[in-house]
Amino acid sequence: SGCGEINDHLMELLIMINACKTASARRITAVLPCFPYARQDKKDKSRAPISAKLVANMLTVAGADHVITMDLHASQIQGFFDCPVDNLYGEPSVLRYIRENVPEWKNAIIVSPDAGGAKRATSIADHLDLDFALIHKERKKANEVSRMVLVGDVKDKVAILVDDMADTCGTLGLAAKTLMDNGASAVYAIVIHGVLSGKALDVINNSMLTRVVVTNTIPHAEKKKHCPKLDTIDVSAVLAEAIRRTHNGESVSYLFGLASI
């Protein structure tokens, strides 16, 4: 998974794939719960690298015939590969978590912390039959947010922030403050990939967030000891089922629906 000593992990994966290839394996499937360098999927300025494409090329050249991953930062990354890619969704697990663990979820509103995640948030809002709000953020530097503007009404509602990745958690902390200032009764954050780098844990502990929920695509057992607000959604069953179906030649399409395992 794309975490920790990411370059070491990636190199180990490539060597293992190549070892299997030279040992005449019939088919090699690479399972990457969190795709490394997924955020570098386009040239944001002139002469910048497209690292996600490079990683895709490296996996293909090493000998991977099939890639299984979860919630790519941009779905277009699938097009970087010449082999099949199964981009599994964490949405069914998120829906189940909200229904089972968020009190008064029927009086909630789904909030996207940026315009890019609006599609994901509206999809969840539609399935739960809830309202949707959006936060517009302006950045001065790459991972530093300067100003936030809320579009939508969150007064006296439980706000549920939905995003695909939490890195330094600066966005989530500022978003929670913006929502509470606009009258939200509580703020939950549900994120698929919890990178939680730098001062992320301090930001969460000192923020107005009631709970931050991340899936275990990136291991964070140690971080939970230092942050009581952290909670986990287990997605291992989804990945295991995808591996089983791929191995047995069954359809993986079932997992792209709202099948919650």
Side-chain angles (χ1 to χ4, degrees), residues 138-203:
E138 294 169 5
R139 290 180 187 273
K140 280 183 180 170
K141 284 191 281 184
N143 54 359
E144 202 174 291
V145 180
S146 57
R147 195 170 77 94
M148 288 196 157
V149 182
L150 176 69
V151 181
D153 182 26
V154 297
K155 192 166 175 61
D156 300 325
K157 289 183 179 177
V158 175
I160 302 173
L161 282 161
V162 178
D163 209 353
D164 71 321
M165 193 175 280
D167 187 359
T168 56
C169 291
T171 300
L172 293 181
L174 269 173
K177 185 178 184 304
T178 305
L179 290 165
M180 291 301 270
D181 290 348
N182 281 274
S185 58
V187 182
Y188 289 79
I190 302 181
V191 180
I192 304 298
H193 305 298
V195 180
L196 307 178
S197 64
K199 296 180 179 177
L201 300 182
D202 293 334
V203 172

Side-chain angles (χ1 to χ4, degrees), residues 27 29 66 68 86 241-250 252:
R27 182 181 63 204
T29 303
H66 187 173
I68 296 174
D86 285 329
E241 182 66 7
I243 293 166
R244 189 192 69 77
R245 284 170 179 263
T246 301
H247 180 69
N248 294 334
E250 297 173 24
V252 184

